[in-house]
Amino acid sequence: MATLNLDDDELKALEQTLSKVAQLSSSVQSFRQDLLKSNPLPPPKSIQASAKILQKNLKSLLESTNENADLFNRMAIRPSTNYPGRTQENVLLQLLRKKLEPDVEEFVSQGLETARLATPEGLESLEQIWRELRSWLSERVIHFISTENSDPYTAEERANGIKNVRTGLRRPIDDDEEEEEDEEEGDEEEDDDEPEKPDVPEVKVRGAEPETLLWFAARGDFEVPRNVEYERKVDVYRGLQGINIPPSDQQQQQPQQGFVPS
């Protein structure tokens, strides 16, 4: 360890960081195996528990690397003379690699872009994009409603020629629309030719008083005694007023108005 020029505390910090990296790698592999073996996916609680473990390991590793940033920046790793370089050349190249792998570099760039968008400047740029999109969308919707909505053909069909469009109809769609417009115009002309009917005032039909109906239901007589008080105080219908009875039946029932069933 003399070649690394590390004291005991620095060596201990390096070993702790290595242990945290191994722990994080083990957690990722375990979570990956759970996803591959489970069909369908694991329960939501299991996924949440694994995500919490990964988050905890990432946080611990990040804290360790931040605390020992100076140590990692001044360390220069070189293979020792007894390292099996011929048999473990791929591992050695991975350890000494200074640039990230293409897929890892893509993930890192996506993470950096996401972190940038989370800043106030990034949020302002996103709001600007949404404002431009909303402005364009409003103009496009207005144009579609005013010009394209009534067209039975799409813009692509118009560009390629409507004669080549197979609609399954014997006649072109434009002819059907013209016939419908002619029929609507004819209906409007017929409506205009019809004379206007004079407005006839609506006649409200009024029936017998509720007290008369209740008295008839109880006694079989439409003549309510004078001591019975009506709820209506003005223009009270008495007797057969408001009762729709044919004249012949009315003449037959008049002699029986005083009859009270025992």
Side-chain angles (χ1 to χ4, degrees), residues 167-230:
T167 61
L169 303 176
R170 295 182 179 179
R171 293 180 297 178
I173 300 178
D174 295 337
D175 296 344
D176 296 340
E177 292 183 351
E178 291 177 358
E179 291 181 359
E180 291 179 358
E181 292 178 357
D182 295 339
E183 291 178 358
E184 292 178 357
E185 292 178 357
D187 294 340
E188 292 178 357
E189 292 178 357
E190 291 178 359
D191 295 340
D192 295 339
D193 295 339
E194 292 181 358
E196 295 183 358
K197 297 181 180 180
D199 295 336
V200 179
E202 184 180 357
V203 179
K204 295 183 179 180
V205 180
R206 177 180 162 189
E209 303 295 341
E211 292 81 0
T212 303
L213 298 177
L214 293 174
W215 185 265
F216 176 78
R219 300 297 182 91
D221 187 6
F222 287 104
E223 292 295 335
V224 181
R226 295 184 177 275
N227 59 351
V228 176
E229 184 178 359
Y230 287 87

Side-chain angles (χ1 to χ4, degrees), residues 66-110:
N66 290 335
E67 291 176 359
N68 303 282
D70 296 337
L71 173 62
F72 296 147
N73 289 332
R74 62 183 175 84
M75 283 181 58
I77 300 177
R78 294 290 183 271
S80 60
T81 55
N82 59 352
Y83 184 83
R86 294 183 178 180
T87 58
Q88 303 294 333
E89 182 179 3
N90 294 331
V91 178
L92 180 61
L93 292 177
Q94 291 291 334
L95 293 174
L96 299 180
R97 185 184 181 94
K98 295 183 179 180
K99 293 184 64 177
L100 298 175
E101 295 182 358
D103 53 347
V104 177
E105 187 175 3
E106 183 179 357
F107 291 148
V108 171
S109 61
Q110 291 178 359

Side-chain angles (χ1 to χ4, degrees), residues 46 149 166 233 244:
S46 177
N149 189 28
R166 300 181 61 182
K233 303 302 180 183
N244 188 10

Side-chain angles (χ1 to χ4, degrees), residues 128-144 148:
Q128 180 64 25
I129 293 174
W130 279 112
R131 284 194 292 267
E132 294 177 357
L133 180 60
R134 182 174 59 182
S135 176
W136 175 86
L137 184 60
S138 301
E139 295 177 357
R140 185 66 182 86
V141 169
I142 294 173
H143 176 72
F144 174 79
E148 300 179 8

Side-chain angles (χ1 to χ4, degrees), residues 20 58-68:
K20 292 178 180 180
L58 282 172
K59 183 179 180 181
S60 177
L61 178 60
L62 182 61
E63 291 176 353
S64 178
T65 53
N66 290 335
E67 291 176 359
N68 303 282

